[in-house]
Amino acid sequence: MKGIDISNNDGNVDFTKVVADGVQVAYIKATEGTTYADGYLETYYSKAKQEGLKVGFYHFLVGTSQPETQAYNFYNHIKDKTSDLIPMLDVETAFNGLMDYALRFIAKFKELSNLPIGMYTYTSFLDNLDNRLGDYPLWEANYNNNPWNLPSNLFNSRIGHQYTETGLVDGVSTKCDVNEFNDGVFVSTWKLGWNQNSTGYWYCTDVTNKYYYKDSWQQIDGEWYSFDSDGYARKSTWLQDGGYWYYLQDSCIMARNKWLWIDGECYYFGDKGGMYVNCTTPDGYKVDEIGAWIQ
């Protein structure tokens, strides 16, 4: 979905025109450092909400004041507002102790708020960060003008791509940042247990930190599921693992102790889910070298 992020640098914004131009979400700069609040924060927020936009906020991290006091500044300026989008920590300036500052900011914000938090940074800045931040949702800036065409990195969940800083959006008088976001950007998207969006199903184990199963097998309520590297449960597909073939059904549940017709052939899956090959099944039928029932 199309989104913009705005600050005082963008001046007056006509949000009626912004919405008419297809924008669905807007991130607003809230704070920077310990004392600064963006002069347009209140105006942008009220007018964006009035036009039905989904709204979120970000804080610009600096190295000249303690991260705990910066977290207080951020929290105090957004606590009475509705955060439709995950609050973001904007990390794009290098200084000694950057990682320590980022982690301390996050820890304090979690103490103050029950909202999740994500990270905003540039692809070119990622070398300044490490995998202690990898489980937080990432909003990534990379001005390639090609949404979602991004290299893999240390983060496990990318929820936004800021693909240009010179975009033209009706209602914004300046050239502005334009983004594409997925459903993971919404605070309300995540709940403990199974979640679903337009791509598929995933399983959240910690709502606050947005932890979820990925790149693994998991047994849930007595059934086995396979989660891909993006965290989605595989469905309606074959999977080869450890020398055996498995099948993830339409329900995402691994097939076991049953016959299944798949693409015109019938296959048998054992107690541990592996497909029987070139043998006789427990109920006395023969399968060939690819596992298909010999009729």
Side-chain angles (χ1 to χ4, degrees):
M1 71 197 80
K2 185 178 181 180
I4 58 172
D5 56 280
I6 47 178
S7 70
N8 63 88
N9 295 322
D10 297 295
N12 293 321
V13 174
D14 185 332
F15 286 95
T16 302
K17 291 182 178 179
V18 167
V19 171
D21 200 20
V23 173
Q24 296 174 270
V25 301
Y27 267 106
I28 301 169
K29 182 176 182 178
T31 50
E32 179 176 335
T34 294
T35 59
Y36 177 81
D38 192 283
Y40 278 80
L41 170 61
E42 302 298 334
T43 299
Y44 283 167
Y45 173 70
S46 62
K47 290 186 176 181
K49 293 299 288 183
Q50 182 179 335
E51 294 300 327
L53 281 169
K54 299 298 184 182
V55 173
F57 308 97
Y58 69 92
H59 173 86
F60 189 95
L61 185 70
V62 300
T64 53
S65 60
Q66 295 300 303
E68 291 81 6
T69 57
Q70 294 189 55
Y72 272 112
N73 187 30
F74 186 40
Y75 172 71
N76 286 334
H77 281 91
I78 70 171
K79 64 181 180 181
D80 296 323
K81 299 175 175 63
T82 299
S83 290
D84 303 304
L85 315 178
I86 298 170
M88 287 285 167
L89 178 60
D90 181 350
V91 180
E92 55 180 277
T93 302
F95 53 84
N96 290 334
L98 171 62
M99 273 299 305
D100 177 63
Y101 264 50
L103 293 170
R104 286 165 57 191
F105 179 99
I106 290 169
K108 178 54 68 175
F109 185 79
K110 287 180 179 179
E111 289 180 16
L112 298 169
S113 172
N114 61 0
L115 289 167
I117 190 165
M119 303 295 299
Y120 166 91
T121 196
Y122 291 83
T123 303
S124 58
F125 195 79
L126 286 167
D127 287 344
N128 295 285
L129 309 178
D130 66 42
N131 58 14
R132 286 176 289 175
L133 297 173
D135 285 326
Y136 292 98
L138 173 65
W139 171 21
E140 186 171 349
N142 184 317
Y143 302 140
N144 60 10
N145 291 300
N146 190 357
W148 301 119
N149 183 18
L150 294 165
S152 299
N153 57 43
L154 63 92
F155 286 88
N156 298 319
S157 174
R158 186 185 283 122
I159 54 84
H161 178 192
Q162 186 183 86
Y163 60 89
T164 181
E165 62 178 343
T166 57
L168 298 176
V169 174
D170 199 14
V172 182
S173 59
T174 62
K175 292 181 179 180
C176 66
D177 300 331
V178 182
N179 310 262
E180 278 292 323
F181 294 101
N182 59 35
D183 291 342
V185 74
F186 294 117
V187 170
S188 61
T189 296
W190 295 70
K191 64 180 186 294
L192 197 64
W194 287 106
N195 293 261
Q196 182 185 16
N197 61 19
S198 57
T199 302
Y201 292 90
W202 75 96
Y203 196 92
C204 177
T205 58
D206 182 334
V207 173
T208 301
N209 295 307
K210 295 212 163 188
Y211 294 155
Y212 54 93
Y213 293 135
K214 64 183 183 67
D215 204 20
S216 64
W217 285 97
Q218 298 293 336
Q219 189 175 32
I220 302 170
D221 297 329
E223 301 290 354
W224 283 96
Y225 301 84
S226 174
F227 295 88
D228 65 21
S229 59
D230 292 320
Y232 290 105
R234 293 183 171 92
K235 62 176 292 186
S236 307
T237 189
W238 289 96
L239 177 65
Q240 189 177 31
D241 188 12
Y244 292 92
W245 281 99
Y246 301 86
Y247 192 78
L248 289 309
Q249 302 170 88
D250 290 347
S251 62
C252 303
I253 295 172
M254 179 190 74
R256 56 178 178 153
N257 293 323
K258 67 191 301 183
W259 288 91
L260 277 182
W261 284 95
I262 304 169
D263 297 330
E265 300 286 358
C266 199
Y267 304 90
Y268 185 81
F269 300 88
D271 181 58
K272 295 183 179 180
M275 181 186 69
Y276 276 47
V277 177
N278 203 26
C279 63
T280 300
T281 64
D283 50 0
Y285 294 93
K286 293 186 180 299
V287 292
D288 62 18
E289 66 277 4
I290 65 167
W293 171 38
I294 302 173
Q295 303 184 44

